[in-house]
Amino acid sequence: MTVQTVNPKRRFRGKPRGRELDIDELAALRQLIGDEREQPEMRRRDLLIEHLHAIQDSRGHLPLAALRALSSYMNLPMAAVYETATFYAHFDVIHDDQQAPPAITLRVCDSLSCQLAGAEALRARLEEGADPAEVRVLRAPCMGRCETAPVVEAGHRHLGHATPESVTAALEAGELHPDPIDWPSLADYQAVGGYTLLADCREGRVSVETLMKEMEEAGLRGLGGAGFPTFRKWHFVRAEPGPRYCVINADEGEPGTFKDRYYLEREPHRFLEGALVSAWAVEAEALYIYLRDEYPGLHRVLREATEELEQAGLVDPGYVVLRRGAGAYICGEESALIESLEGKPGKPRHRPPFVAQKGLFDRPTLVNNVETVYWIPVIHKRGAEWFASQGRHDRKGLRSFSVSGRVRYPGVHLAPAGITLRELVDEYCGGMADGHRLLGYLPGGASGGILPASKADVPLDFDTLQEHGCFIGSAAIIVLSDQDDLRGVATNLLAFFADESCGQCTPCRVGSEKMLTLLERPEWDAAALDRLSQVMMDASICGLGQAAPNPVLGLLKDFRTELADQNVIVRG
C-alpha cells in the first residue's frame, strides 16, 4: 500500500485572498446607512447604488476600504461592488495607495451647446486659476441646462452663463449646494383640480379602457425618444401576468435635452399624477422614478412632493421609489436603466425578451418618459381632440422643443408637432442670434443626425425625418451657424459617444473610438467612415452605437461644400 505524505514545505492559506475587512470601516458604514443586522432589507442588491451614493456624498469619494466594508455589509462579491462603482462617472473610487480628490470639484460641461458657447476656453481658464490641491476641474457631459450655456457645476450648484469670475465668486461664497426650487405644493395643485383624474381612476369613474382610448385618439407617444404609442405600451404590459412594475425614465442625458427638467421644476405634482395613473393602468406593485444625478435640486423636490402624497394618504408609504442615476448616458436606454435600478452596471440587455415582458426584477415593466406622463392629466381634462388638433403640416399634438445654440431665445418652447425649424426659430426663438446665419441643425440631439439650412422647412415630428437620415428623438434642437466649425461639431459628438459607450459590444466600443480617430485626421476618408458606420448600425446592441454615426453621415451627405469651405478635405 502506498501512503501519501504531506509536503512539510507547503503552506496553507489561513485567511481569504485580498485585503482584510476593516472593522472600523464597517462600523462607520452601519452608522451611515443603518445596521444590516437589524434591517436586513438594507442588504438588497438593488440598493447598492444608493449605498454608494451615501458613501460618496459623505466622504467625497469611495475609498477601497469602504467598498470592502460594503461588500461584507451586503454579502456581495467585492468584484460586483467594484465593477458597479467604477462603471458610473459620479463615483470616485480611490485605491489604498491613492490620494483622495480635492474637496471641491468643478465640472465644466463639454456638450455641443456649451462648446459653441466657449466651454473649452472657460475650462482652460479655470484650470489655470485653480489650486489643484483644493479644486479639481473636470470635463463633464451634458448637464441638461443647455439654454444657459456654458454651464459649470461647482460642487452641486449649477452656474449658467458661467464665467471664471462667476465661478470664483461662487467658490469664495461657499455656494456649492443646489439652487432652491420654488414649486407648487400639493395644496396648490389640488386647488386647480389636481389628482382628480387619479381619484376617478381609483374609484371606477374612469376605466382603463376609456383612458387608453383617449390616449390613442390624442396620439400621445413616448416623448423620450422612441415615440412608441402610449396606449399600446400600456396594452402590452397589461397583457403580461403580474406582478408588474412601473418605471419613469427621468434620466434625460441626450445632449441638448432639458424639457423634463423644465416640467419637473415647475409642476412636479402634475408629473406625479400622470405617473401614478400610468402605474394604476398596469396595476403596478410599485412606481420607480429614475432621476439623473445631474438634477440634485429635483431630488429634493420629488422627495418632498412624494412625502406630501404619503401624508395626505394619496399613496401608500414606499409605493413611490425615487432612485438616483450616477452619471451614465447609457442608462437612458430602458433596459440599461432597469439594470441600474437593480444595482448593477447600466448595460443594455439583449432583446427579446422586452422589458414589457421581463423588466425590473424580471417582471413585466412599463417604462414611460417624464413628459409623456406629464400630459396624461392635461389630455384627460381638455380632451383628446384638443391635443390632437394642435399640430401643423398634417401632424398631431404638441411637442416640447429644447432649443439651444445660435438662436436669440434658447429654452423649452411648446409648439405644434410638425412645425419646421424655420418656423420654430422665427416664431418662438426670436430668430437667429445677432450676427449668425443658419448653417444647419441637429433635430434630435447628438444621436438624431444633422440637417443643412436647405432642409429647415421639413416638419419636425416622429416619422418625418427618417428619409433624411435623422429622427426627432427627444426634440432637442441644436442650431448651428455659419460661424461654427463642422469638424469641431463632429469630433465633439463622437467623443461623447466614445466616452459614454458602456463597452459591452465591440461595434460600439471600438467603432466609436475608431470613428473619432478618423474624424481627427486632416483628411476624411468617406468610404471608411461609411463602412464603419454600417457595421456600428448593424451590429451594436443598443441605440447608442446604432445612432452614433448619424451626425457624421449627415455631414458627408449634405455638408460637402461647407466642409470644403472650412478646409476639411473629404476623399471618396
Side-chain angles (χ1 to χ4, degrees), residues 53 87-90 141 251 290 292-294 325-330 500:
H53 272 304
F87 181 85
Y88 296 94
H90 288 189
D251 193 55
Y290 188 91
R292 70 182 311 212
D293 201 36
E294 288 83 353
Y329 166 75
I330 191 62
E500 293 295 332

Side-chain angles (χ1 to χ4, degrees), residues 402-476:
S402 305
V403 185
S404 61
R406 307 304 192 180
V407 296
R408 186 168 293 167
Y409 303 127
V412 174
H413 297 288
L414 183 62
I419 194 171
T420 67
L421 186 280
R422 197 179 311 279
E423 293 168 339
L424 181 65
V425 170
D426 290 345
E427 298 175 29
Y428 290 84
C429 303
M432 294 292 291
D434 293 341
H436 291 266
R437 178 175 58 84
L438 180 65
L439 176 65
Y441 63 102
L442 282 69
S447 59
I450 184 170
L451 292 172
S454 62
K455 295 183 180 180
D457 295 313
V458 176
L460 298 172
D461 197 15
F462 299 112
D463 311 319
T464 63
L465 300 173
Q466 280 83 342
E467 64 180 287
H468 304 287
C470 296
F471 57 84
I472 192 170
S474 59

Side-chain angles (χ1 to χ4, degrees), residues 373-394:
V373 300
Y374 171 90
W375 283 112
I376 292 171
V378 183
I379 291 172
H380 179 74
K381 183 177 182 179
R382 304 192 67 172
E385 184 179 352
W386 164 81
F387 187 82
S389 67
Q390 300 297 314
R392 289 189 190 178
H393 306 296
D394 299 321

Side-chain angles (χ1 to χ4, degrees), residues 5 43 87 133 162 217 224 257 331 370 372 398 404 459 487 502-503 510 525-526 553 556 559:
T5 59
R43 305 179 77 168
F87 181 85
E217 292 176 351
T257 311
C331 290
V370 168
T372 304
L398 292 166
S404 61
R487 183 197 294 274
C502 76
V510 177
D525 184 337
L553 294 175
L556 294 175
F559 290 84

